[in-house]
Amino acid sequence: MSQPPKDRPWLFRTYAGHSTAKASNALYLANLAKGQTGLSVAFDLPTQTGYDSDHELARGEVGKVGVPVAHLGDMRMLFDGIPLEQMNTSMTINATAPWLLALYIAVAEEQGADVSRLQGTVQNDIIKEYLSRGTYVCPPEPSLRMITDVAAYTREHLPRWNPMNVCSYHLQEAGATPEQELAFALATATAVLDDLQKKVPAEHFPEMVGRISFFVNAGIRFVTELCKMRAFVDLWDEICETRYGVEDPKYRRFRYGVQVNSLGLTEQQPENNVYRILLEMLAVTLSKKARARAVQLPAWNEALGLPRPWDQQWSLRMQQILAFETDLLEYDDLFDGNPAIEKKVLELKEGARAELAQIDGMGGAIAAIEYMKSRLVEMNSERIARIETGATTVVGVNRYQEAEPSPLTSGPEAIMVADPAAEADQISRLDAWRAGRDAAQVEAALGKLRQAAVTGANIMPASIEAARAGVTTGEWGDVVRSAFGRYRAPTGVARAPSNRTEGLDDIRAAVDAISDRLGRRLKFLVGKPGLDGHSNGAEQIAARARDCGIDIVYDGIRLTPQEIVNAAREGNVHVVGLSILSGSHIPLVEEFMRLMRAEGLSEIPVIVGGIIPDEDARRMQAMGIARVYTPKDFEMNTIMLDIVELVDRQAHAAE
């Protein structure tokens, strides 16, 4: 008996990039050889925020969360031996998307590729950067302009390229409910399309609507997540038809890629993460009507540090087994007509429509950034409180904590360690690149880029010319910053305490007691040094400290160690907390503690939170760090009591 024909599987991707372009290229070639069918490029934070690898803010960040690409030579090396005309490449890049796409086009031209045949996506969603990820460069309005510049350019020159990938992934990690994830993502898409309508001939606009794609998170409540994806399909179809008058159903299709939830991966009993990743993948593959077009899975040990190639291979094999060994792709949608599914989808759509109406009433997504940010911080506080109280079960974290030692996490090579020489190597090659280029050609290209930025001309042609001329990422970023100005996004942490004071009475009493003893309110500075924009943890620590009666200072992300030291001195604070999730904790903490000693502030206790291996924690304690917290330290009230104890001990020592 012959087997029924199967649907084509989704694209198999692995989100990857680290250390240097050469090291990342070797990883891409190896993954492609193992059956990966598309590339998903992770860039490091300096590249994402428009700085060169030798900038002050880039110290310790080079090659940590992705690959550094500072110029055409880096992009050339990244794709060496990979024919771009035959590849489908997703680049997770937002604020600097025009620049990275310009470099990609320039490399494709060098390869002799037909640029009109290039396939792939630049994420290019800047609104979620203000809300949840923090790699913005400019204020919202010029950022929106550059998004639609890219879209208009690709319509004319790269007809198979997706110019924007609306990213709700980080919204969920920042605390969004499914209804908020739906609404905030759809509001972002409509903000972009409303602006794009002015730049594209009316007859081509429906086709451009059809090229907007989405990048979505899938969490552990996989029935709800499956229903969320079906709701996305229905709501997007509705918006495309009613708001934009798109008649052709193929241009109203909801096309999305997915990365399943990394936030839910646990440091405790990390082997359990394999099951979490599998269940979350099912949410975006089981329903044919709402099946992802591309899937990338985290590795089981990402809460511990960088995954090894073997760990990434394990995640890739999970996708391949589902696609090729099971019969999933032989059937029509398994959930059509299911009353429980239909009821949940309807509830989600109604909730999302209410949120969309609220955002539209404020003037759209750009105008509603502060509102959306505050809602995310509030919802994340509620999520964390449910885990702390046990209302939400996380196996191995707040229940079933007794476990056998895992052989998977033993030994010195249980996680990959970033090459400590990679940053120096990158900077050395950057110096050589600058020395070897035609300075006059660079200056002329930068002049044209400035003119395009100031006059409102499409930013892409000048960016491509700058890429060919040898301009660096930091030089492109400096032009954009000088033309459009700098911007500091809202933190979402209100000054006034929230209503969530249940279970805080003892801590509030302890804070009052130490404040009386100090003669003023206990003051706590939360600092985000470097370029790490993952601010969820810092926001929640600041909000909980505020609710415990502590006077908080939190100025948001992307500060130099010196700026944080200045704030500690000027604010006369009693304790400093540094939050660093990018893996750059050692050099940043080293510099911060050196500056604290130089300023005569070494008596102020300093605590640090992040994804920090035990060996690094010991190194930082040897530098004078009082406490180190990692994802396993999920009970924030314990951290609050630690802060009181540290200040109390310091007060005793001073007497």
Side-chain angles (χ1 to χ4, degrees), residues 147-294:
I147 292 173
T148 52
D149 277 359
V150 169
Y153 184 85
T154 59
R155 182 202 70 77
E156 196 170 348
H157 301 284
L158 282 77
R160 303 170 76 179
W161 193 270
N162 296 320
M164 190 205 185
N165 196 229
V166 182
C167 180
S168 67
Y169 176 87
H170 295 100
L171 301 180
Q172 184 180 120
E173 294 213 326
T177 64
E179 293 88 346
Q180 288 169 338
E181 192 179 339
L182 286 161
F184 293 3
L186 293 169
T188 295
T190 57
V192 169
L193 288 174
D194 287 353
D195 192 65
L196 183 59
Q197 266 187 308
K198 308 165 195 167
K199 298 184 178 181
V200 173
E203 65 271 22
H204 294 295
F205 186 68
E207 176 195 344
M208 292 306 299
V209 173
R211 283 169 57 196
I212 298 293
S213 59
F214 290 74
F215 187 73
V216 180
N217 200 329
I220 195 64
R221 292 171 58 81
F222 81 93
V223 176
T224 298
E225 295 292 281
L226 184 149
C227 292
K228 179 187 77 182
M229 299 321 307
R230 291 172 70 93
F232 254 133
V233 168
D234 292 349
L235 288 168
W236 183 239
D237 184 78
E238 181 182 299
I239 287 169
C240 292
E241 186 170 23
T242 60
R243 188 179 183 114
Y244 299 114
V246 178
E247 296 176 359
D248 191 334
K250 76 179 179 186
Y251 294 142
R252 305 198 304 261
R253 191 179 301 141
F254 184 79
R255 300 177 309 115
Y256 77 101
V258 69
Q259 156 107 6
V260 309
N261 194 344
S262 292
L263 180 69
L265 301 181
T266 63
E267 182 180 0
Q268 304 94 317
Q269 301 178 29
E271 61 277 2
N272 296 343
N273 294 328
V274 175
Y275 307 130
R276 294 185 176 106
I277 293 165
L278 173 60
L279 290 168
E280 290 163 355
M281 179 174 63
L282 293 178
V284 296
T285 53
L286 284 180
S287 174
K288 181 176 179 177
K289 175 183 175 183
R291 184 169 292 148
R293 296 274 292 254

Side-chain angles (χ1 to χ4, degrees), residues 411-440:
E413 296 180 359
I415 58 170
M416 192 170 76
V417 178
D419 180 0
E423 184 167 336
D425 173 64
Q426 172 68 13
I427 291 171
S428 167
R429 285 185 295 101
L430 175 58
D431 289 340
W433 178 265
R434 290 191 188 117
R437 61 190 183 169
D438 184 326

